Amino acid sequence: LVARSRSCANLVGFHLNRTECVPVPPPRSHPNPPAPLSRVAMAPKKKLDSGLADEAMRAARFGRVRNTLRMGFVGLPNVGKSTLTNLLAGADNAEAANYPFCTIDPNEAQCIVPDKNFQYLAKTFKPSSIVPAILKITDIAGLIKGASEGAGLGNAFLSHIAAVDGIFHLVRGFVNDEVVHVDDSVDPVRDMETIEGELCLKDLSVLEKVVETEKARVRKEKGISKSSEPPLSDSFTSAYAKVLALLQANHPVQTGEFNGAEVDHIRGWDLITTKPQVYIVNMSKKDFIRKGNKFLPKIQTWVKEHGGGTIIPMSAEFEQELMDLKDDKDAQAEFLKECTQKARDLGLKGPQFECKSVLPRMIRAGRTALCLQAFYTAGPKEVRAWTIIKGTLAPQAAGTIHTDFERGFIKAEICSFDDFKALHAGTASMAKVKEAGKYRQEGKQYVMQEGDIVEFMFNVTNSKKK
């Protein structure tokens, strides 16, 4: 059900109804678009190594470097944002009602990250405390056309979007007369244009102030009078020109190609469309079971034309029925069996037509978009998954446990989860792993890997005197 590609949005396991795409009207132009910069009067800064070759890190290169990142649901009213937030949290944390602005203040859910490795460690060590990794998700009220200019509750909602680190762009792909559509008809491509257009227009309004802010900074740095025209660097000028072109074409900034110096400039502009996006298509239960939907080809084409991205087709209707049976595992199993049989009755056979929840995949996709990973601490008292950003060094990872661990970091004793599973011989101990030479010591320059099992050594008793 997931497709990830920058050049193509392929929907694995879904039948695509090859209908022609409905023509999309051009995006509204900003009333006062920023003017392009025409000259550069300063030598370029030295290029910075931002690790942009790594596709996973590339998606979150503009983001805030911290471990408490969060995703936010963005979409038109009544597309299923609150329902999905409730489902992901496993409880009714948001008022899911059939009204365009039923969610005014952003509701937040903490979702447990599905992790078979963590579960294995918990079963092995049988500790008194088990703390899994979580993904924070914010349910943001629906945007409508004109939100960038204050329509609906637009200005407040756009500020809520600015406060999250990644976006679940939720699209309505189901027809139901009982669930009103803010535009009176279901057209996912039009809706995606509306949302992306409003985000781009908001960024264009922010971009208007960027040049003057940079000029003021350069004047102060170089002691130039306010009446003088300060020189702007090549990296700033090229970053501005690329961003302006993307936004005027209604393309999110995060899909563009930038070098390290340009990324450093853009990161300080606080643009909404620099946030990584995952596209969620909410379909009917019937379409989800048969893995086919008439809107998917149009959505696929649109995403491809707007820089590509991950597309996850799902059904809130299906997920809700499954969740309603959460207290009866046998009933859940029977429900999934019945849904799978309906697919087989249509001649749809094979593992790709086995019906199961997509919520775990959504949570993992959100963590991937934010470039998050986990390491474990495991013992008889506690097994815990700690969330860090990919590329985090061992001392900073230790700091997520306690600041003293980072300040007094000496070394990290580490083994990979795969090595532990293969070697521990059923014991809740690292003894067999050590005998096999797979338990190693790492220093301050070690880059943490997904699934590391760690014990940090530190000493803060001999702190330096000021």
Side-chain angles (χ1 to χ4, degrees):
L1 298 181
V2 175
R4 182 179 300 118
S5 172
R6 294 196 54 76
S7 60
C8 178
N10 182 32
L11 298 169
V12 179
F14 268 71
H15 296 299
L16 299 183
N17 184 352
R18 299 294 180 186
T19 54
E20 292 298 320
C21 291
V22 176
V24 179
R28 291 181 295 131
S29 60
H30 192 272
N32 297 299
L37 298 178
S38 58
R39 68 183 183 88
V40 180
M42 188 174 178
K45 294 181 181 178
K46 182 180 178 181
K47 289 186 178 181
L48 304 179
D49 180 10
S50 295
L52 302 186
D54 183 346
E55 182 66 22
M57 292 302 294
R58 184 185 188 285
R61 60 199 153 150
F62 302 106
R64 290 168 277 201
V65 181
R66 62 184 188 185
N67 302 319
T68 55
L69 302 178
R70 66 192 65 206
M71 296 289 288
F73 274 116
V74 174
L76 294 180
N78 289 353
V79 296
K81 298 185 299 299
S82 295
T83 299
L84 266 179
T85 303
N86 296 343
L87 288 167
L88 286 166
D92 294 331
N93 289 338
E95 181 194 358
N98 182 21
Y99 181 71
F101 301 108
C102 68
T103 310
I104 296 176
D105 294 324
N107 289 269
E108 197 168 279
Q110 293 194 116
C111 313
I112 295 176
V113 176
D115 187 344
K116 293 181 179 179
N117 295 350
F118 175 80
Q119 293 173 5
Y120 183 91
L121 290 175
K123 289 179 181 178
T124 300
F125 284 88
K126 298 179 175 60
S128 55
S129 173
I130 298 173
V131 185
I134 61 170
L135 176 67
K136 293 184 178 181
I137 297 179
T138 301
D139 171 22
I140 301 170
L143 289 176
I144 61 173
K145 196 167 186 178
S148 61
E149 299 164 2
L153 299 173
N155 286 330
F157 295 163
L158 287 165
S159 69
H160 293 156
I161 297 172
V164 301
D165 303 283
I167 293 173
F168 281 130
H169 187 154
L170 186 58
V171 184
R172 176 171 172 173
F174 66 90
V175 178
N176 185 338
D177 293 338
E178 295 181 2
V179 181
V180 297
H181 191 290
V182 71
D183 290 325
D184 297 324
S185 63
V186 178
D187 185 342
V189 173
R190 177 200 61 205
D191 297 349
M192 294 170 82
E193 282 289 340
T194 296
I195 295 299
E196 204 68 72
E198 293 304 322
L199 300 184
C200 288
L201 285 171
K202 186 65 176 179
D203 279 354
L204 279 169
S205 68
V206 172
L207 206 61
E208 291 177 356
K209 306 172 185 177
V210 164
V211 176
E212 289 306 315
T213 300
E214 178 68 6
K215 286 181 178 180
R217 186 193 68 79
V218 174
R219 287 191 186 103
K220 182 177 180 180
E221 183 180 275
K222 296 184 173 296
I224 301 174
S225 65
K226 292 184 178 180
S227 59
S228 301
E229 189 70 14
L232 300 178
S233 68
D234 285 349
S235 57
F236 175 86
T237 305
S238 60
Y240 178 90
K242 290 179 181 179
V243 168
L244 179 61
L246 285 165
L247 293 176
Q248 289 180 334
N250 206 29
H251 287 194
V253 174
Q254 58 101 0
T255 64
E257 299 291 339
F258 302 98
N259 63 35
E262 291 168 341
V263 167
D264 286 342
H265 285 295
I266 297 168
R267 190 182 290 122
W269 299 349
D270 295 327
L271 301 176
I272 291 175
T273 63
T274 57
K275 302 178 189 298
Q277 292 192 47
V278 177
Y279 297 93
I280 310 294
V281 183
N282 186 10
M283 309 183 300
S284 67
K285 173 185 172 183
K286 178 181 177 181
D287 284 351
F288 178 76
I289 289 173
R290 68 188 184 92
K291 304 294 186 289
N293 178 279
K294 65 181 181 180
F295 298 118
L296 285 178
K298 304 172 186 180
I299 295 170
Q300 179 191 27
T301 299
W302 187 92
V303 172
K304 178 181 177 181
E305 291 174 349
H306 287 74
T310 299
I311 303 175
I312 304 180
M314 57 80 61
S315 170
E317 179 187 2
F318 169 88
E319 299 289 351
Q320 185 66 66
E321 290 188 31
L322 182 62
M323 180 65 75
D324 290 342
L325 301 171
K326 64 180 180 180
D327 295 329
D328 188 338
K329 298 301 180 183
D330 291 337
Q332 275 193 333
E334 184 62 28
F335 172 76
L336 294 175
K337 183 179 178 180
E338 289 177 1
C339 291
T340 300
Q341 186 58 49
K342 288 180 181 179
R344 290 175 180 172
D345 292 343
L346 295 171
L348 307 174
K349 300 179 181 180
Q352 69 270 32
F353 295 107
E354 294 286 335
C355 289
K356 59 183 179 180
S357 175
V358 181
L359 299 183
R361 188 170 294 169
M362 286 178 56
I363 296 171
R364 288 192 293 267
R367 275 174 67 85
T368 299
L370 295 174
C371 292
L372 300 177
Q373 66 182 38
F375 71 88
Y376 310 116
T377 52
K381 292 184 178 180
E382 181 181 77
V383 169
R384 184 163 185 158
W386 302 86
T387 298
I388 55 175
I389 295 210
K390 289 182 180 179
T392 298
L393 299 179
Q396 287 70 54
T400 64
I401 299 177
H402 196 284
T403 53
D404 283 351
F405 282 33
E406 179 177 358
R407 184 162 60 91
F409 179 88
I410 298 174
K411 63 182 179 180
E413 296 187 347
I414 297 175
C415 77
S416 71
F417 171 83
D418 289 340
D419 286 339
F420 174 79
K421 185 177 181 181
L423 299 169
H424 77 101
T427 64
S429 166
M430 292 291 174
K432 297 292 184 181
V433 181
K434 292 178 180 178
E435 289 176 11
K438 295 294 185 179
Y439 196 73
R440 62 192 191 276
Q441 297 181 352
E442 300 287 357
K444 294 182 178 180
Q445 298 306 310
Y446 175 71
V447 178
M448 299 292 293
Q449 301 299 310
E450 177 73 51
D452 279 344
I453 304 173
V454 190
E455 183 176 358
F456 292 108
M457 303 297 173
F458 70 101
N459 186 346
V460 293
T461 57
N462 296 321
S463 58
K464 293 182 180 180
K465 295 182 179 180
K466 293 184 179 179

